[in-house]
Amino acid sequence: MKYLLGILLLMSLAFKSGDTKSVKPYSHSKLNMYGPSDVCMSEGGNSLYIVGDDGYLYETDLVGKVLRSSKRVGWDYEGVCQDEKFIYVADERGRRVTLFDKVTFEPVKTFPVQYGGAMNYGFESITYNETKKCFVMVSEKNPALLYEFDEKFQPFNQIEMNEIGEVSSARYYKGFLYLLSDEKMTVYKLNPITYSIISKVKVPVNNPEGLCFDNEGNMIIVSDNMQSIYFFKNPEL
Amino acid sequence: MKTKIIITIVLLTLLAGRGFSQFSITKGNSGLDIDGYIITEYEKEFYPSGTTDMHNNKFTLGYAVLKFKGVSNRDLRYETEIDFSGLAANPDNATMSIGDDFVKQFWVEYRGLKNVCDIKFGLNKVPFSHSSLTGEHNMIFLQRAYMIRNAFNRRDIGVTLHRSLWYKKINIYAGAYTGMGGLSLGGDNDASGNLEYVGRIEFSYPEKYKDKSEADLVHLPTPVFTMGANARYTEKSINTGKDLITMVDGKKTGIGGDINLKWEGLNINLEFDQFKIQPHATSPVNLENKQTDYYRTGGVVCMANYYFACIRSAFGVRYDEYNLNDLAIGDRQKDVCYAYNFFFNGWKSVFKIQYYQILKDPNTQALWTNNQIRIGYQFMF
């Protein structure tokens, strides 16, 4: 028995994680939608795009009040980002990225994005890495694999994100890539070229699934299970 | 020798700990997941001195489950689940047989009736008892409480209607089943031809009712409270003389309730289930010659555990109390289970230890089982 206890002690030391800075939301509000899974800021910073588990894309004001929604064309929307022309939505179970016209809110093109893991462990994140001029999507877990895609969503690079292990959102912001881990409730700041971790911050929110930043660097997080949007002061990562 | 066995088990589990799992095939709005899990355990029962038959000291393939979970055109879901550990060997005559649990689930569910209800057909878990509805791969204990295993049919063939309200914070289930449990797979109902009717309502706050696992591995910063209430009724004409509690020759009415809390690594589950059994006058079994036409069976399950994220370990304790027949003196079992789990990769890869201690009732006529320890490893692929 003493050997077993010794092994458990060694394991506990090996797996013990270091202290991580934690931030608390200064405000939050309920979202009138099912399963909010990701959020991104519109180009002008005047509204938010939010996607939901039931395959809808929403545009909301800056506190999450729904302004308009798309038709139900998706299956399981889990990631969203945008550029000057389109809104890009990652359909996790559908294994595809759908482009929506910003004006009409209609789907205009769909790219298949194959992944062999479990249907609900697919891509929950999408963002455009402006430093490397490519799209980045990360499979949720088992394993968490970061893929780089060209503008026709052809993959050309794959990196294992073992240290993070589980990823529910990705966001490129002011020269850095940020990944959100739902299970660890942690936001990681990464080098956008090497994808090495620079710093991290804990966000004590149940089931955080979506991440973006406003123009002042304040952090916005949506929670699927809590069906809420949370606002954090600039964490200065 | 013992040390070598322990070190071997730990090293094997370490090697398996990084295994990645589950595969899928998708086309359009349809997809198929292939996955499963294996739980292997060593069981040692502490027999009284002088016992010569100690056949329960053994390695057991607790579960060897292969699952296919599919979605067709978004709204039609199906699942097949086979447990190969249900292929039971009989050591007395060296033959194999197929146990009741070989086929665990075979169902199809239509979710296309928005704002009405989902409809599920087939062999499935009956919506009764939180402990029963928790999957064995989401349990920190290697064995369910005695009452959950023996007081009612956990699976059956039938139809289940499900309606969610308030963004899935409220779930309502209603179903009709053959009422024969695993024996329903044999194709025939009992002589009465009566069905069993089951209903359950669940409420969760502030999150939707989603996670029925027995541990809070993510240390939820906001506490999540859930509760459920359920009931079931059937009247059967069983004349096999076998299994007088799960299926009775007469009326069986059951009610139950459960309360659960998850918060910052703490997980608490409390559950009670009670059944009123009215045997047919022609076969008044279990009435103990009392002036009554019914007896009650049921009990409670109380469980608490805490997950220490820094050492990836959960420690749990469970108190079970089950009264087989309220008319029979001493027909009551109480026990306490202690559990330790080491999570290599969430629920995907877990090393489990369970110690099961019988608390003797002073009026107990016969000890139902002995104290025992189980050591097991769970791997989900």
Side-chain angles (χ1 to χ4, degrees), chain B residues 246-276:
Chain B
T246 53
M247 281 180 289
V248 298
D249 185 23
K251 293 179 183 175
K252 183 176 179 183
T253 308
I255 58 166
D258 45 79
I259 298 172
N260 313 281
L261 174 74
K262 276 191 170 74
W263 183 42
E264 292 286 9
L266 177 68
N267 185 71
I268 296 173
N269 301 103
L270 308 172
E271 175 172 335
F272 83 94
D273 296 303
Q274 282 291 322
F275 299 87
K276 178 182 177 184

Side-chain angles (χ1 to χ4, degrees), chain B residues 16 58 62 83 93 113 168 206 240 253 277 343 352 360 371:
Chain B
K58 60 186 186 291
D83 184 358
N93 56 15
L113 297 174
K168 291 199 174 180
T240 60
T253 308
I277 296 171
F343 295 85
K352 300 181 177 183
K360 291 181 182 176
N371 293 348

Side-chain angles (χ1 to χ4, degrees), chain B residues 41-43 142-143 352-354 372-376:
Chain B
E41 60 190 65
Y42 175 71
E43 177 184 346
L142 281 161
Q143 191 180 40
K352 300 181 177 183
I353 300 176
Q354 170 182 328
Q372 56 181 256
I373 189 167
R374 290 172 183 241
I375 301 172

Side-chain angles (χ1 to χ4, degrees), chain A residues 12 32 74 95-96 116-117 119, chain B residues 24 29 33 74 167 208 221 311:
Chain A
S12 62
N32 187 23
R95 305 294 202 244
R96 59 200 168 204
M119 281 195 284
Chain B
S24 70
N29 286 325
D33 265 342
R74 282 194 301 208
Y167 296 104
K208 59 186 174 185
I311 56 171

Side-chain angles (χ1 to χ4, degrees), chain A residues 1 3-4 7-8 11-13 15-17 30-35 53-55 72-75 91 93-96 114-121 141-144 160 162 182-185 203-207 209 224-227 230, chain B residues 3 6-7 10 13-14 18-33 69-71 74-75 77 114 166-169 205-208 210 217-224 309-313 340 342 344-345 348 351 353:
Chain A
M1 183 54 78
Y3 292 99
L4 178 61
I7 288 166
L8 291 173
M11 285 177 175
S12 62
L13 291 173
F15 291 121
K16 189 169 172 59
S17 58
K30 284 286 178 188
L31 291 169
N32 187 23
M33 62 185 72
Y34 175 69
D53 285 346
D54 51 0
R72 188 193 179 210
V73 291
W75 179 0
D91 192 331
R93 290 172 191 262
R95 305 294 202 244
R96 59 200 168 204
Q114 291 304 318
Y115 180 68
M119 281 195 284
N120 63 339
Y121 289 162
K141 66 177 181 177
N142 293 316
E160 281 200 36
N162 288 335
D182 158 18
E183 293 182 359
K184 294 180 179 172
M185 300 172 203
V203 284
V205 169
N206 289 15
N207 192 216
E209 290 222 338
D224 179 340
N225 286 357
M226 297 293 281
Q227 199 195 328
Y230 296 85
Chain B
T3 308
I6 289 169
I7 290 173
V10 170
T13 49
L14 270 174
R18 273 185 41 76
F20 297 131
S21 50
Q22 289 186 297
F23 300 92
S24 70
I25 304 162
T26 55
K27 54 174 185 177
N29 286 325
S30 302
L32 178 68
D33 265 342
K69 292 185 293 186
V71 179
R74 282 194 301 208
D75 293 326
R77 296 175 185 240
K114 302 296 178 194
W166 198 19
Y167 296 104
K168 291 199 174 180
K169 291 185 179 70
Y205 191 80
E207 281 191 5
K208 59 186 174 185
K210 187 178 179 183
L217 301 188
V218 298
H219 275 235
L220 290 170
T222 303
V224 176
C310 59
I311 56 171
R312 295 189 179 190
S313 297
Y340 168 75
F342 186 88
F344 294 97
N345 179 17
K348 299 282 180 193
F351 173 68
I353 300 176

